[in-house]
Amino acid sequence: MAQLWGGRFTKSTEKQVYDFNASINFDKKLLKQDIEGSIAHVTMLEKCAVLTSEEKDAIISGLNSILTDVSKGDLQITSEYEDVHSFVEANLIDRIGDAGKKLHTGRSRNDQVALDMRLFVRDHVKETDRLLRILLESLLKTMEENTETYMPGFTHLQKAQPITLAHHFGAYFEMFKRDRDRLKDIYERMNYCPLGAGALAGTTYPLDREMTARLLDFKGPTLNSIDSVADRDYLIEFLSSLSIIMMHLSRFSEEIIIWNSNEYQFVEIDDAYSTGSSIMPQKKNPDIAELVRGKTGRVYGALISLLTTMKGLPLAYNKDMQEDKEVSFDAIETVENCIELFTGMIKTMKYKKDRMEKSASNGFTNATDAADYLVKKGVPFRDAHGIIGRLVLYCIDKNCAIDDLSLKELKSICDVFEEDIFEAVSLKTCVENRLTIGGPGPDMMKKVIKLSKEYLDNN
Ligand code: ARG
């Protein structure tokens, strides 16, 4: 049991207590950040004349050698240490002797862990953003190739109006674009360095906090030492943004599962992204999409868990805050995996354009356009709505589409119909004429695709 304290204790810790308290099994993930932070700290301590340059050099090369040995597998991070901070310090002292004992001068594990976690989260905010960008690129490619791939648009999961595949994917493009915006905001807000806050009240050493902030690529130091060690807002924001990303991925997965079903057959998920059944030989299941949908719960769980952990904590640091790590590490890894796998699934998926178009041509997705046709001929909209309703009933009875009726049949329901009705309610017309900004008309869609390309060029 290697720990950084014990001087004022007369008994050693109960084994079970020690294990319950220890965080090494999960905070070992922060080794790189811990060492990076320590290097900045001692570089600053030397500049402020708290350490000699020999001491600083010895500490830095000791720290680097620990990192190298761990990454090469020559040194194991074992549970004989309480946490990653104790592991590093104990190993440093073993390697360089007394100079190693000066590493923690003017620092507490409270500001140390606050820094490590921020560095870790900052990297993963960037990584999540990078993965989302790749997803957006592949969505945009599908959009470019499918501005004229007609499909039904749905409300209440009932066919509503015709759209295109490009338009449908464009909706997700906007969602993931907003997700990236959120990550950018979080990054800006969190990018301040807590190092130098000490346990909670700063220190009497003449620390140059601006310098450590600069060395670690932060915008500047945080401005209140109590807040610096007690704040986990940035992590809650990140988990919230990850939850929103999962919510988007999950909705998208749900649609792909439906589209991939035998009833729809709008898409076919590639064999490489599907799995079989142990009993039913005919099955090819959309497990990846289902798992992405399924894993959404645990990411929401992480958010709720941390919100709950934080809600009753008096200032400043409390040990409860150690609970921020496992759930966050799990959520971060889960989301990164999900985005990557989802992107791979989308990239390899086949789109069955004929099925989509056929589905858009039945189900009366052109009923609104038929009503609008009458309106353009002078029929008030509410009356037109009623007429087309009756027309739909007639078609249901005859088991056909509006476009399948003869002009004579149409006229028997309303004599305003003329030969031009067929053109007006054709799938092509229905989609092509929807040219309002944000609409599915291919000409509008091409404009939006151009803007989306510019966005990706600049972001
Ligand atoms: N393992 C602790 C955590 O993750 C490190 C900080 C310990 N600080 C303390 N005052 N016990 O929060």
Side-chain angles (χ1 to χ4, degrees):
M1 298 201 288
Q3 54 202 23
L4 298 171
W5 43 270
R8 64 100 69 209
F9 287 75
T10 52
K11 282 188 193 170
S12 57
T13 325
E14 200 56 60
K15 168 88 171 73
Q16 209 182 354
V17 173
Y18 181 85
D19 290 344
F20 189 66
N21 192 50
S23 51
I24 188 82
N25 286 336
F26 46 90
D27 66 18
K28 60 184 173 196
K29 233 189 164 69
L30 297 173
L31 179 75
K32 186 173 130 275
Q33 288 77 9
D34 201 68
I35 287 182
E36 199 185 338
S38 289
I39 290 177
H41 183 60
V42 295
T43 307
M44 178 276 293
L45 288 180
E46 187 241 359
K47 151 105 189 316
C48 302
V50 178
L51 292 182
T52 65
S53 79
E54 293 74 39
E55 287 166 337
K56 177 204 83 170
D57 290 343
I59 295 175
I60 292 181
S61 66
L63 289 171
N64 281 328
S65 69
I66 294 172
L67 192 57
T68 316
D69 289 355
V70 173
S71 40
K72 282 204 311 223
D74 294 345
L75 175 64
Q76 310 309 332
I77 307 183
T78 59
S79 49
E80 81 188 85
Y81 303 94
E82 181 188 340
D83 55 27
V84 70
H85 325 296
S86 326
F87 165 81
V88 171
E89 193 172 316
N91 267 278
L92 185 68
I93 296 168
D94 278 354
R95 284 169 193 229
I96 66 164
D98 280 352
K101 296 183 180 163
K102 298 192 174 184
L103 166 67
H104 211 51
T105 315
R107 190 175 68 172
S108 154
R109 273 185 299 165
N110 297 352
D111 59 344
Q112 188 177 357
V113 79
L115 171 68
D116 293 1
M117 203 56 190
R118 256 182 216 239
L119 290 172
F120 183 87
V121 170
R122 207 175 58 169
D123 281 353
H124 285 277
V125 170
K126 279 199 245 167
E127 176 61 5
T128 311
D129 182 66
R130 188 184 72 82
L131 295 172
L132 282 179
R133 195 180 180 289
I134 300 174
L135 172 58
L136 285 180
E137 275 170 4
S138 81
L139 289 182
L140 193 59
K141 185 165 173 286
T142 308
M143 287 162 68
E144 281 183 281
E145 291 164 2
N146 290 286
T147 52
E148 281 166 48
T149 305
Y150 303 130
M151 63 175 279
F154 297 85
T155 62
H156 315 271
L157 202 54
Q158 311 261 3
K159 288 182 199 177
Q161 289 172 340
I163 55 166
T164 65
L165 183 62
H167 193 226
H168 198 100
F169 269 38
Y172 285 104
F173 190 95
E174 293 303 312
M175 292 179 230
F176 294 122
K177 198 167 90 182
R178 286 197 295 277
D179 288 334
R180 292 187 73 206
D181 277 352
R182 261 184 285 276
L183 293 175
K184 204 162 137 192
D185 289 350
I186 293 170
Y187 192 94
E188 292 300 309
R189 228 183 338 274
M190 72 170 287
N191 199 16
Y192 293 90
C193 184
L195 190 61
L200 79 162
T203 105
T204 52
Y205 292 100
L207 304 188
D208 184 346
R209 293 195 58 212
E210 307 262 0
M211 179 177 173
T212 32
R214 223 175 21 250
L215 289 173
L216 294 165
D217 218 13
F218 284 102
K219 249 175 152 175
T222 49
L223 292 184
N224 181 291
S225 59
I226 300 175
D227 177 54
S228 310
V229 293
D231 166 34
R232 295 293 181 274
D233 291 7
Y234 69 91
L235 190 51
I236 292 174
E237 283 194 57
F238 187 39
L239 291 175
S240 140
S241 149
L242 293 180
S243 298
I244 298 175
I245 293 170
M246 287 306 289
M247 180 267 289
H248 289 153
L249 285 176
S250 183
R251 292 183 79 172
F252 208 166
S253 295
E254 168 71 7
E255 296 207 290
I256 287 167
I257 294 163
I258 295 173
W259 292 0
N260 186 65
S261 69
N262 198 36
E263 284 67 27
Y264 274 73
Q265 296 181 35
F266 282 8
V267 296
E268 189 181 338
I269 300 176
D270 196 75
D271 279 4
Y273 285 84
S274 311
T275 47
S277 156
S278 59
I279 173 168
M280 296 165 283
Q282 85 281 13
K283 291 272 254 178
K284 195 173 118 182
N285 296 327
D287 286 28
I288 299 308
E290 289 174 18
L291 269 177
V292 169
R293 186 179 62 185
K295 282 177 190 289
T296 305
R298 66 201 266 179
V299 178
Y300 291 3
L303 170 64
I304 299 300
S305 163
L306 187 57
L307 278 169
T308 312
T309 296
M310 295 305 292
K311 87 180 190 25
L313 299 189
L315 295 177
Y317 178 83
N318 299 266
K319 189 72 174 211
D320 315 45
M321 290 159 80
Q322 178 168 292
E323 286 294 305
D324 65 351
K325 288 177 199 62
E326 282 165 290
V327 289
S328 303
F329 293 156
D330 181 72
I332 291 168
E333 195 181 319
T334 301
V335 176
E336 288 175 3
N337 262 328
C338 285
I339 304 174
E340 270 194 291
L341 278 152
F342 190 89
T343 305
M345 182 179 68
I346 290 282
K347 270 191 181 155
T348 49
M349 205 160 71
K350 275 191 209 57
Y351 300 95
K352 299 187 175 172
K353 302 186 185 188
D354 293 353
R355 290 279 307 186
M356 291 186 190
E357 179 163 346
K358 199 157 163 243
S359 170
S361 331
N362 56 49
F364 307 106
T365 58
N366 54 359
T368 317
D369 298 83
D372 288 343
Y373 168 88
L374 293 178
V375 171
K376 279 179 206 137
K377 304 245 169 185
V379 181
F381 180 75
R382 196 46 59 210
D383 293 342
H385 189 281
I387 294 166
I388 302 301
R390 287 198 298 283
L391 188 65
V392 167
L393 261 185
Y394 180 83
C395 290
I396 291 174
D397 200 41
K398 286 200 63 181
N399 193 18
C400 69
I402 296 177
D403 343 23
D404 295 336
L405 297 175
S406 67
L407 185 58
K408 203 165 144 224
E409 285 173 296
L410 287 164
K411 274 191 175 296
S412 73
I413 290 177
C414 172
D415 63 7
V416 177
F417 285 120
E418 296 297 344
E419 193 59 44
D420 56 353
I421 176 65
F422 297 107
E423 161 87 41
V425 298
S426 81
L427 194 53
K428 197 166 150 56
T429 317
C430 293
V431 176
E432 269 178 7
N433 287 350
R434 291 188 142 71
L435 289 170
T436 34
I437 297 177
D443 289 345
M444 176 44 68
M445 209 53 237
K446 280 174 196 149
K447 285 186 191 152
V448 171
I449 287 174
K450 189 164 166 269
L451 291 174
S452 306
K453 269 194 173 150
E454 280 165 24
Y455 159 81
L456 281 181
D457 286 342
N458 299 317
N459 290 279

